[in-house]
Amino acid sequence: MANDTVPDFKPLAVLVNPNVAEAEKIAREAVSQHKMLLVSGNCSVRYQGRAKSQLEPGERVLIIKQDGSLLVHRSVGYEPVNWQPPGCIFHTQMRGNILEVHAVRQKPAESVKVSFDRILMVSALSLEDSGEFSLYASEEDMQKAILCRPSLLEEGFKPISYEKRVQPGFVDVYGVDKDGKLVVVEIKRKTAGKNAAIQLAKYIDAVKSRADREVRGILAAPSIAKEVQRTLETLRLEFKPLDPKKCAETLRRSRTTRLAEFFVEK
Amino acid sequence: MANDTVPDFKPLAVLVNPNVAEAEKIAREAVSQHKMLLVSGNCSVRYQGRAKSQLEPGERVLIIKQDGSLLVHRSVGYEPVNWQPPGCIFHTQMRGNILEVHAVRQKPAESVKVSFDRILMVSALSLEDSGEFSLYASEEDMQKAILCRPSLLEEGFKPISYEKRVQPGFVDVYGVDKDGKLVVVEIKRKTAGKNAAIQLAKYIDAVKSRADREVRGILAAPSIAKEVQRTLETLRLEFKPLDPKKCAETLRRSRTTRLAEFFVEK
DNA sequence: AATTAAATTTCGCCT
DNA sequence: AGGCGAAGTTTAATT
């Protein structure tokens, strides 16, 4: 069939109750095009690698992701019954009337073989997903937490304003330390990179040019990239570890105890 | 619509590119009928509980299982980006043109809300799955391992036969101990329950009635249920811990290194 | 029910 | 690339 040699690039392919050979075609294309593949049907699974297992026939859901990870889910349980972490090479083939999906990984050398003799549904998906995932607290939450309890940043810190407009943009938090020195705070939710340091330096310059006195710059983030540490020293900036989890707890506590009404949400 | 009040019990429902309200109907029925639900589409996710997280919009796959577990999978990564272990209560609703799937768990109090504004595919599945899952070794492998290296059972044990036919069925392994006493071995791959003890007792009786001399009965399994321990004592049977992992290693070694038979481990 | 220990742990950060 | 520690860990077994 000419169709067999011309893979189509539809973003979404779904077959319901297909015969096994039809499903194999979808699976093969999905794997080669690095789409996500969903297959539900009757299968057995053999795994060999760090451990070894055998799963007798039954109806399950197979998921293959574009990064080369594999999941076999039964009808119950949070964890997959069989799986492989990202980095597998996949191969599909018909063996008689059985669809075999083979996943191979090296280091450690492992293999998972899923054999379907009946397919309920097969689906190949091109998923567009650039949405950010933030755990514990958003950057905004961390900002609120510092405003709510300034000692999270350092003892004696007093916030003056937040999202203060300066030349290059907005300063996350702006205040004075226990000695009355101006403090500019830049917050990052993840490990602070070079950009964060540079951004902070620009804010400092902008504030200095208007205040004409000493200004401390503090980069507050859960951690800092090693190489940026030296950048900070060069720029005479400081780093303060700030745990998003702690921020979230602080916020939650301050909200429940009704003390946070001063700080308008969003 | 009358149809709305009469849920159908088809074993397999699939909609491709449905409108969100159609998807909600499938999702609601799947949840109420404790089927497995697969939804792929554009969604955002909010989680609050032991921790707290926010996932900005993007295309993902949602899985809800009949035991009340929930998984949200992105296009990459072995782990779900959001999840709930088994035991959730689900609630679906339309909020404007958004499908909200809400999962609530208590102890710990947690909630996950998945909001879809576009559905690629929704599927409700009744999965039949009674297939056994065996890790490291099947019962047969454990049997072979004992035959291959009898010391796994006990020092001085000598197998005579396996799958020996007696009245009630087949004895897994049959042999003599270091003192020449007859030994009947019953093997279980998982924690041995009452049935295993009773089965073994029947075999013993059968063998005794023919041999008319003392017969030891040994239940070999990775572990034994607490209450069965006393049953064993009453029946004058013995329990021997037998680890499937060790059996698998033994088998593998005996297959690969033909010379290792001399060197008894441990 | 609470605690402990293992997992084909996975994952990220650091050396 | 290998090692160490944390995880919304989960899961099973034990007290």
Side-chain angles (χ1 to χ4, degrees), chain A residues 47 50-51 82-83 85 110 226:
Chain A
Y47 155 71
R50 290 163 293 177
N82 282 111
W83 73 90
E110 300 199 289
K226 197 72 171 272

Side-chain angles (χ1 to χ4, degrees), chain A residues 191-253:
Chain A
T191 300
K194 196 165 225 168
N195 283 345
I198 293 171
Q199 198 171 10
L200 177 54
K202 284 182 184 168
Y203 290 148
I204 299 280
D205 286 345
V207 172
K208 264 186 183 164
S209 70
R210 292 178 35 174
D212 194 27
R213 58 170 166 143
E214 191 176 352
V215 180
R216 291 175 58 199
I218 301 182
L219 187 51
S223 58
I224 184 169
K226 197 72 171 272
E227 66 277 15
V228 181
Q229 191 113 36
R230 296 193 41 209
T231 309
L232 277 192
E233 289 168 15
T234 308
L235 296 170
R236 304 251 184 259
L237 303 177
E238 306 163 41
F239 169 71
K240 165 69 190 182
L242 185 63
D243 181 16
K245 189 170 182 173
K246 212 163 191 171
C247 289
E249 280 170 16
T250 301
L251 265 192
R252 186 162 43 78
R253 205 171 302 174

Side-chain angles (χ1 to χ4, degrees), chain A residues 2 45 51 53 73 112-113 123-124 129-130 155 171 176 191 202 241 257:
Chain A
V45 185
S53 73
H73 273 281
V112 173
K113 191 167 75 181
S123 172
D129 184 1
S130 57
E155 215 49 56
V171 166
V176 295
T191 300
K202 284 182 184 168
T257 60

Side-chain angles (χ1 to χ4, degrees), chain B residues 5 7 30 35 51 60 70-71 79 106 179 187 193 217 228 233 243:
Chain B
T5 60
K35 293 180 178 177
R60 292 113 195 183
L70 175 149
L71 306 164
E79 293 184 329
Q106 337 201 4
D179 302 324
I187 299 171
V228 181
E233 289 168 16
D243 182 18

Side-chain angles (χ1 to χ4, degrees), chain B residues 47 50-51 82-85 110:
Chain B
Y47 154 72
R50 289 163 293 178
N82 282 111
W83 72 91
Q84 279 296 294
E110 299 199 290

